[in-house]
Amino acid sequence: MGRVTDLASFAPLLTPEGQTLLAALRDHDPAQELAVVSRLRRDHPAELVTAAVGQARLRQRAVAKFGAEDAYRMYFTPNGVEQSTRASVGTYRAGRMKALGVRSVADLCSGIGGDAIALARAGISVLAVDRDPLTAEVARANAEALGLAELIEVRCADVTDIDTAPYDAVFVDPARRGGRGRIFDPEAYSPPLSWAVEAARRAPHAALKVAPGIPHEAVPEDAEAEWISDGGDVKEAVLWFGTEPGARRATLLPSGAGVTGRGLPDPAVRPVGRYLYEPDGAVIRAHLVAEVAEELAGGLIDETIAYVTADTLTPTPYAAAYEITDELPFNLKKLKALLREREVGVLTVKKRGSAVEPEEIRRKVKPKGPHSATVLLTRVAGAPTMLIGRPAGGR
């Protein structure tokens, strides 16, 4: 099935006929797509039907990031759905900008406008810049569709040609995907991270969106680095300029809980206690496990594994807690026997520092029974270990 690939195929979607088609396709079933297309082509041009069906499919995918209310009013490109910021993250970042006193932002590499929308909804005026004509037109259509056109100016241009001096802040979201997939070298971003950093340093405030896996040594000394998770999944890292140079922070959404580095040494390794804590991915990426371990009065089970253990249960937003009932050397026969004895049929398998895949464990132990358990495959003081337990509250 075709998709919108240029301005000529996108523009008809904005016409009354295109709008009628999009409204009719809002709740279409992808499994029935061929029949739907055949029916619609009796009354509408084939090219418009193809574009509308492709757009309807993208809107359905975008609901996870933008919510149904916005997604079904917005317009997307395949790359736009894939690379745009999740609305909850964009809203949080726009809130930080607002708290800094920012009133205008140059949004460079704006894509379909996800971040520009969040900034505008915070009352900030935005110049949204993208060099791709179709992407810029989609961003303009999104600003119109959501009633934000007065706050969002969209410009199709190369970001390196933009004078950012009139703006209170700069936001840069470099492209981190190329023809061969995800790009891991920050200097291979488009534009390169070094260019984005220099652009950030010329502004009173700036935020650069980077991949969560950015090496800490690649973070400029004059930047604050913030790792953000949403619902337990790490979404991105942001380099902030004009805030707290050198700070390292983890922020957990939707709660907004945050922990900032205090330069603590690595926690000591200790025997497994009654409780095991699995820190949020943003905490781990930000290298702030020590700060969380101190809060929990805990230590590590292995110097290379980000599991914290403690003898008492301390509620925390920064880690999921498990009550440990058994600690066994890695042995599938023993695990199978133990689970059979306890009639465990609902088995959750997690791993950290183990090469064994959870699905392989489930397939081999064949859990059966009315009870549930969690198995954590890991290393304890260097030795492959199975920890059996159950969730114990926590975050």
Side-chain angles (χ1 to χ4, degrees):
M1 193 63 64
R3 57 177 59 152
V4 169
T5 56
D6 53 28
L7 291 173
S9 56
F10 176 66
L13 292 176
L14 304 180
T15 66
E17 186 177 13
Q19 293 296 294
T20 298
L21 275 172
L22 288 173
L25 287 164
R26 174 181 169 123
D27 298 316
H28 89 287
D29 181 357
Q32 304 298 321
E33 203 162 271
L34 288 177
V36 171
V37 168
S38 297
R39 175 173 53 80
L40 292 175
R41 281 182 174 175
R42 296 172 194 158
D43 303 311
H44 304 279
E47 295 81 2
L48 179 56
V49 171
T50 296
V53 170
Q55 192 61 217
R57 194 186 307 130
L58 292 175
R59 284 178 166 183
Q60 288 183 343
R61 285 175 52 194
V63 168
K65 280 191 173 182
F66 291 93
E69 184 177 350
D70 281 352
Y72 285 114
R73 291 189 290 164
M74 292 172 66
Y75 302 90
F76 300 95
T77 64
N79 284 342
V81 172
E82 183 71 27
Q83 299 179 22
S84 58
T85 301
R86 181 176 290 264
S88 55
V89 178
T91 299
Y92 162 75
R93 185 166 44 241
R96 277 204 70 177
M97 287 275 196
K98 186 75 171 178
L100 290 169
V102 169
R103 294 171 297 175
S104 62
V105 172
D107 178 3
L108 309 182
C109 310
S110 60
I112 61 162
D115 284 287
I117 289 166
L119 289 163
R121 283 179 167 166
I124 298 170
S125 63
V126 186
L127 171 66
V129 183
D130 200 283
R131 67 181 179 183
D132 177 65
L134 174 60
T135 302
E137 189 59 32
V138 169
R140 188 174 290 111
N142 285 335
E144 289 280 357
L146 299 180
L148 299 169
E150 290 188 1
L151 283 169
I152 300 175
E153 174 194 347
V154 179
R155 191 179 301 175
C156 182
D158 190 311
V159 296
T160 61
D161 295 332
I162 299 299
D163 177 14
T164 61
Y167 299 89
D168 295 337
V170 168
F171 174 66
V172 189
D173 182 3
R176 295 182 298 283
R177 284 185 177 274
R180 297 184 178 180
R182 195 177 298 275
I183 296 171
F184 296 97
D185 178 7
E187 283 307 295
Y189 292 174
S190 180
L193 180 62
S194 57
W195 179 89
V197 167
E198 289 308 310
R201 286 171 173 156
R202 292 193 295 270
H205 297 287
L208 312 183
K209 180 178 171 181
V210 294
I214 184 173
H216 278 233
E217 56 269 23
V219 175
E221 291 184 0
D222 55 339
E224 170 199 333
E226 179 182 31
W227 282 261
I228 302 172
S229 67
D230 188 10
D233 296 327
V234 184
K235 295 302 179 184
E236 63 183 58
V238 183
L239 305 183
W240 291 89
F241 291 80
T243 54
E244 301 177 57
R248 298 294 179 268
R249 185 190 311 273
T251 299
L252 284 56
L253 301 178
S255 70
V259 57
T260 303
R262 301 195 304 279
L264 299 180
D266 291 340
V269 175
R270 52 151 290 177
V272 177
R274 182 176 178 181
Y275 296 98
L276 187 81
Y277 295 86
E278 180 183 25
D280 184 273
V283 170
I284 296 172
R285 294 278 195 174
H287 297 181
L288 299 179
V289 173
E291 280 73 7
V292 173
E294 182 181 72
E295 176 187 307
L296 301 171
L300 299 179
I301 63 171
D302 183 280
E303 62 180 7
T304 65
I305 304 294
Y307 277 145
V308 175
T309 188
D311 297 318
T312 56
L313 179 61
T314 304
T316 176
Y318 307 118
Y322 299 89
E323 184 176 9
I324 301 303
T325 57
D326 301 88
E327 176 183 353
L328 303 171
F330 182 83
N331 185 306
L332 286 182
K333 287 185 177 179
K334 289 184 178 180
L335 177 62
K336 186 174 182 178
L338 185 147
L339 296 176
R340 185 188 302 118
E341 176 187 336
R342 297 184 183 173
E343 298 182 304
V344 171
V346 180
L347 183 64
T348 300
V349 182
K350 304 178 74 68
K351 72 166 193 170
R352 182 157 291 164
S354 172
V356 182
E357 292 300 326
E359 284 305 318
E360 180 184 352
I361 297 293
R362 292 192 191 91
R363 187 173 62 251
K364 290 185 175 180
V365 303
K366 300 175 182 176
K368 185 178 180 180
H371 302 135
S372 61
T374 299
V375 175
L376 301 107
L377 307 175
T378 187
R379 292 194 304 273
V380 173
T385 302
M386 303 180 300
L387 301 176
I388 296 93
R390 52 183 168 266
R395 68 179 183 203

